[in-house]
Amino acid sequence: METFVFLVGAAVILAGALGVVLSASATRAALSLIGTLFGIAVLFVAQEAHFLAAVQVIVYAGAIVVLFLFVLMLLGVDTTEDLSIEPITAQRPAAIVAGLAFFGMVMLALSAGADSVTGMPGAFDPVAGTVPDIVALGRSIFTTHVFALEATALLLTIAVVGAVVLVRKAETIDPDDDISPQLQDASTEDGEEA
Amino acid sequence: MLGDPLLSGGIGLEEVLIVLVKAGVAFGVMLLAVILMIWFERKVISDLQNRVGPNQAGPFGLLQTIADGIKLIFKEDLIPNRADRWVFALAPFLLLVPAFVSFGIVPLGGDFQDNGGVVSWFGRDTYLQLADPPIGILVLLAMSSIGVYGMMLAGWSSGSKYPLLGSVRASAQAISYEAALGLSLVSVIIVSGSLSTHDIVASQAGEGFFGFVPNWNLLLTGVVPFVIFLLAAAAELNRAPFDLVEAEQELVGGFHTEYSSIRFGHFYLAEYMNLITMSAIMVTLFLGGPAGPIFGPGFLHPVLPVVWFFLKVMLFLFAAVWARATVPRFRYDQLMGLGWKVLIPLSLGWLLLLATVRVGDDQGWNYLVVVAVCMGVLVGAAALMAAALSSAHKDRIAEEVS
């Protein structure tokens, strides 16, 4: 049963990944990315990491790719890109090298198996205990790592407030500044109408 | 947190087949419910507007929806010239599939009072719900965030401006109200102590205050999260009075303007599926799911919870139709103002209150003092926020006038 789920999930992930790399339209690439993220979520469920699967779909597929799509739509990058131009020289060979290095790293981590270098549980070891993953995760986040959690929350709040402050217009327009007389007239007229 | 007893003894061919049959039955129930719901909505609206409504196809016009469906299938399928064909074809399914998946987590029946929600049919014990994942209600959030794609891509891929405007509106509205929806959901999760829909219903079984008031989350969470959830769900579903997405006067028909034939039918179907699913979820979260008095001879015992569940869902469905027939549509800035300035702060504040009461319970603090202090803090925060909003409003007016 698990093999079957894995095969279907892996097929979806690979198809999505190929779609991301091979489709010339940026929107379709983003859509393929959703497919990949969904497949990964299915594999998470198969590994009994239910919460991780939910977060994968809600945060990555549901929020981040939506943001990608919004940016694509607002910038109007809906046409096919010309792939023959290489804006940064030698980025393609570099990408191949980086990809192979990453692949090697993942294979190394997997082949290390149970006896890992860092002393942490290896890739094939089950996580100790039979507590449901949501309970275990909640306990870990809100006891051991509560300071990191609060710090992250504060950081995100600061980022949001900062973004709002940055995009705000200047408080008031000083009439003595170098606004042309026509513009000033137009603004007063608008004000009276409003 | 035991999960469905059907799946606890290993998964073989039999279990897979049973789950498949359950999925098929759930889909059939959903389709039938949608067909009847569309008829019900048209009939009730006609009554509220002093008209007759559909009365030609079948008795009381019951077959009207089927007739409309057949008509839609045989209509010409138009794809605009400038449309992105692949995405255009995909978008309706991105709305339809999540709508059905989130229905799968709703417990439709089962005696939660004495039996833990387990029903025995044909010698197998199971829950009367398609799936009971440990993440339960998070599936709803995940699926509603996928549904945003359907709306967004449908509008964008049409290659035409009104659908695009409609889809931007729709996705902005859905994303804004998802925050309030999620926060009021957390209140329920705190009170029930579980994410699983089955456990949420089970935690609401039993006698409440004074032996006759039901032990429902509606009362346990203090009504406020329920009201927030109701409003946010209506906005999420693009139902009146929040149906700006398809404001006919401004946008022709919203994100699905360019869709015709059965592709449009898919959107219509998804809309009603979402409406029924959301009503069922509200019953599950706040009104105790299939809870209700169980009496009479033995063969009635598995049937009665389903009847109670159906009646409670009907309550919400009727309210949705009623609101559509009577409440005028919001303006867009009012919609955003309600979502961001009222519902989200209120649900956050109420969540803090509930959490504090829980902590106070654990620590053995005086209940009344905890509530009084919390209320004081909440009122103070609300006053601060109101002051900030009004001064910002004044600044903006001054800026516009100068």
Side-chain angles (χ1 to χ4, degrees):
Chain A
M1 200 62 213
E2 206 185 315
T3 325
F4 178 71
V5 172
F6 172 76
L7 286 177
V8 173
V12 170
I13 292 172
L14 284 180
L18 286 177
V20 172
V21 181
L22 296 179
S23 57
S25 139
T27 313
R28 287 188 195 179
L31 283 177
S32 309
L33 185 59
I34 304 171
T36 303
L37 294 170
F38 241 94
I40 295 175
V42 169
L43 290 191
F44 278 151
V45 171
Q47 299 297 316
E48 306 229 325
H50 298 281
F51 187 74
L52 213 53
V55 169
Q56 172 92 3
V57 175
I58 295 174
V59 175
Y60 284 93
I64 291 183
V65 184
V66 166
L67 213 63
F68 286 0
L69 281 174
F70 261 123
V71 171
L72 289 176
M73 286 175 190
L74 292 179
L75 295 181
V77 201
D78 47 6
T79 45
T80 311
E81 293 282 329
D82 184 6
L83 294 175
S84 61
I85 308 166
E86 200 170 350
I88 306 166
T89 16
Q91 66 168 347
R92 275 172 209 171
I96 290 172
V97 171
L100 282 177
F102 185 71
F103 180 72
M105 194 175 76
V106 171
M107 288 324 275
L108 208 67
L110 282 179
S111 60
D115 32 76
S116 66
V117 187
T118 51
M120 297 304 282
F124 297 126
D125 291 349
V127 178
T130 49
V131 203
D133 68 314
I134 300 165
V135 179
L137 197 72
R139 227 167 249 160
S140 165
I141 286 180
F142 290 107
T143 55
T144 324
H145 302 294
V146 71
F147 179 73
L149 178 83
E150 295 292 338
T152 316
L154 195 65
L155 201 66
L156 286 173
T157 314
I158 292 170
V160 170
V161 173
V164 170
V165 169
L166 281 178
V167 299
R168 270 187 75 140
K169 287 183 293 185
E171 285 276 296
T172 45
I173 303 162
D174 195 353
D176 298 332
D177 269 2
D178 51 345
I179 302 176
S180 61
Q182 290 119 330
L183 244 176
Q184 225 173 336
D185 284 345
S187 65
T188 46
E189 271 169 30
D190 280 350
E192 276 160 18
E193 275 167 30
Chain B
M1 219 187 264
L2 288 167
D4 200 328
L6 177 71
L7 305 176
S8 54
I11 299 172
L13 184 64
E14 194 185 333
E15 280 78 10
V16 172
L17 284 178
I18 291 177
V19 170
L20 281 178
V21 168
K22 271 169 105 176
V25 170
F27 193 66
V29 166
M30 195 68 196
L31 281 184
L32 191 68
V34 167
I35 288 171
L36 291 176
M37 177 59 205
I38 294 174
W39 171 80
F40 175 74
E41 171 153 38
R42 293 180 67 172
K43 269 296 189 195
V44 171
I45 284 199
S46 319
D47 283 350
L48 288 166
Q49 294 172 342
N50 246 337
R51 296 186 284 119
V52 179
N55 65 347
Q56 295 298 310
F60 311 108
L62 264 172
L63 301 177
Q64 184 64 45
T65 317
I66 297 174
D68 284 345
I70 293 171
K71 183 198 75 174
L72 272 179
I73 292 171
F74 286 110
K75 279 210 154 188
E76 188 188 355
D77 180 24
L78 292 167
I79 297 182
N81 216 5
R82 293 174 56 197
D84 187 327
R85 301 181 76 91
W86 191 72
V87 181
F88 190 81
L90 179 73
F93 295 100
L94 280 179
L95 214 56
L96 194 62
V97 173
F100 174 64
V101 171
S102 32
F103 181 67
I105 59 165
V106 178
L108 301 174
D111 183 359
F112 282 84
Q113 206 85 329
D114 310 318
N115 227 350
V118 177
V119 288
S120 300
W121 277 342
F122 308 113
R124 297 299 301 250
D125 286 349
T126 184
Y127 294 161
L128 209 55
Q129 72 190 90
L130 182 51
D132 178 34
I135 47 171
I137 204 69
L138 288 183
V139 170
L140 173 77
L141 291 183
M143 287 306 129
S144 71
S145 62
I146 295 301
V148 173
Y149 284 111
M151 298 191 282
M152 201 164 108
L153 291 171
W156 173 82
S157 66
S158 299
S160 148
K161 64 185 164 197
Y162 286 119
L164 185 63
L165 285 173
S167 77
V168 169
R169 271 193 184 185
S171 38
Q173 181 175 334
I175 291 173
S176 307
Y177 275 84
E178 215 166 75
L181 194 82
L183 284 171
S184 54
L185 210 64
V186 178
S187 305
V188 174
I189 294 166
I190 282 190
V191 168
S192 287
S194 175
L195 288 173
S196 146
T197 42
H198 180 266
D199 292 354
I200 288 175
V201 171
S203 80
Q204 297 177 67
E207 300 291 325
F209 311 104
F210 315 120
F212 67 92
V213 183
N215 190 32
W216 294 346
N217 278 339
L218 172 68
L219 300 171
L220 292 183
T221 55
V223 186
V224 172
F226 170 71
V227 174
I228 294 169
F229 196 94
L230 191 66
L231 291 174
E236 192 93 335
L237 295 167
N238 302 327
R239 287 289 303 189
F242 306 109
D243 56 345
L244 296 109
V245 171
E246 39 197 275
E248 301 89 352
Q249 301 89 334
E250 308 150 31
L251 288 175
V252 188
F255 56 87
H256 48 53
T257 303
E258 298 289 355
Y259 281 84
S260 55
S261 184
I262 195 63
R263 291 186 210 271
F264 173 74
H266 285 150
F267 280 117
Y268 208 68
L269 187 60
E271 204 179 308
Y272 280 89
M273 272 190 175
N274 272 324
L275 174 63
I276 294 168
T277 303
M278 260 310 181
S279 308
I281 291 274
M282 276 190 274
V283 170
T284 304
L285 291 178
F286 292 102
L287 295 188
I294 290 168
F295 52 81
F299 72 91
L300 268 179
H301 288 199
V303 180
L304 274 174
V306 182
V307 172
W308 298 131
F309 183 79
F310 174 75
L311 288 178
K312 287 177 199 169
V313 172
M314 282 309 289
L315 197 71
F316 284 106
L317 293 179
F318 179 75
V321 178
W322 191 11
R324 181 175 155 187
T326 46
V327 187
R329 185 179 294 143
F330 270 50
R331 221 170 50 215
Y332 200 69
D333 61 320
Q334 292 173 330
L335 173 89
M336 285 296 158
L338 178 70
W340 288 99
K341 295 175 189 164
V342 180
L343 291 188
I344 291 179
L346 186 63
S347 51
L348 255 180
W350 201 263
L351 177 61
L352 285 178
L353 173 75
L354 283 176
T356 319
V357 169
R358 279 309 282 252
V359 172
D361 251 9
D362 286 352
Q363 305 282 339
W365 295 339
N366 189 337
Y367 184 75
L368 287 177
V369 174
V370 170
V371 171
V373 170
C374 283
M375 280 302 194
V377 172
L378 280 190
V379 168
L384 264 179
M385 179 144 165
L389 282 178
S390 81
S391 85
H393 187 69
K394 262 183 216 139
D395 278 1
R396 204 161 50 237
I397 298 276
E399 211 170 288
E400 276 169 12
V401 168
S402 71

